[in-house]
Amino acid sequence: MKFADIIGKQEVKDRLIHSVQEGRISHAQLFAGSEGGSGLPMALALACYIHCEQRSETDSCGECPSCIKYRKLVHPDLHFSYPVVTSATTKDRSPKSTDYLPQWRDAFLSNPYLDLNEWYASMVVENKQGFMSVEESADILRKMSLKSFESKYKIQIIWLPEKMRVDASNKLLKIIEEPADNTVFLMVTEHRE
């Protein structure tokens, strides 16, 4: 996703682009907005711009190997976390985002302005509420402790961190406050508080 794909918000886009160009990328950023708003597309556009190999002054190129991987959400240094539910395949353990990665890619690629109800519909939940468990936090810690594979930065996008259980969020506090070098957390919330 490119910044040009997002309607409006030019001041925000300019600020994000400027921070990357100056090499002053904050290690943790919060994108707050309304349900189905531009927070998730903006976070992904920023991640794409950070990883782009031929970025311009205003946007990612859209044609380098990194941008091509972003179009399919398969870049090895981009990681996602989002609310999930227990299903028939995950009943014996707490579900993690990686268990639903194919559904996530399909849902996001069909609608980058995805909201929680659309996400639940794509997972085919039966009156269940999504959450992020301690196991999800452990998975994030594991992924973020690895060396980046193709790029300088490892990027973790956490969509709807307010769905994180208290014990899960407590487990992530240390790494979000003091991450390893070249690690970026982009959190997208619908509830600023």
Side-chain angles (χ1 to χ4, degrees):
M1 171 152 279
K2 297 173 66 171
F3 286 116
D5 298 331
I6 301 167
I7 298 168
K9 310 275 187 193
Q10 193 58 48
E11 184 180 323
V12 175
K13 293 178 198 176
D14 292 343
R15 190 176 310 131
L16 293 171
I17 290 167
H18 187 66
S19 70
V20 174
Q21 290 172 346
E22 287 190 341
R24 304 181 125 229
I25 303 168
S26 297
H27 70 274
Q29 299 181 46
L30 181 66
F31 293 79
S34 60
E35 183 176 337
S38 62
L40 186 57
M42 190 73 76
L44 191 65
L46 174 60
C48 184
Y49 190 71
I50 291 169
H51 281 152
C52 182
E53 299 165 15
Q54 301 169 4
R55 62 179 169 246
S56 70
E57 294 291 316
T58 58
D59 214 338
S60 51
C61 71
E63 300 191 11
C64 69
S66 178
C67 288
I68 291 169
K69 290 174 186 166
Y70 263 82
R71 280 199 299 255
K72 298 177 185 173
L73 301 181
V74 295
H75 195 286
D77 295 320
L78 173 68
H79 308 280
F80 291 98
S81 289
Y82 35 82
V84 295
V85 297
T86 305
S87 71
T89 59
T90 60
K91 275 187 180 164
D92 295 335
R93 58 189 171 86
S94 291
K96 296 188 297 277
S97 296
T98 52
D99 298 331
Y100 289 94
L101 192 55
Q103 292 97 321
W104 171 256
R105 286 178 178 143
D106 289 343
F108 181 84
L109 292 173
S110 66
N111 180 14
Y113 296 91
L114 185 68
D115 68 22
L116 190 58
N117 290 329
E118 290 174 281
W119 171 231
Y120 285 167
S122 68
M123 283 193 297
V124 190
V125 299
E126 300 136 359
N127 276 343
K128 295 181 182 178
Q129 290 296 313
F131 64 95
M132 288 184 236
S133 65
V134 172
E135 287 77 7
E136 179 73 28
S137 294
D139 196 44
I140 291 171
L141 290 170
R142 182 190 60 77
K143 288 187 265 187
M144 293 297 104
S145 67
L146 298 173
K147 184 179 177 203
S148 60
F149 188 72
E150 287 184 2
S151 302
K152 181 179 177 182
Y153 289 92
K154 299 175 288 201
I155 300 175
Q156 174 74 47
I157 296 178
I158 302 174
W159 183 56
L160 303 179
E162 58 268 25
K163 295 289 186 181
M164 201 173 279
R165 292 188 170 163
V166 174
D167 51 351
S169 61
N170 287 340
K171 190 170 185 128
L172 290 179
L173 283 176
K174 180 85 170 150
I175 193 168
I176 290 175
E177 290 175 354
E178 299 173 16
D181 289 341
N182 302 322
T183 301
V184 177
F185 287 92
L186 304 176
M187 292 172 274
V188 181
T189 183
E190 294 173 357
H191 304 287
R192 184 181 303 264
E193 66 280 353

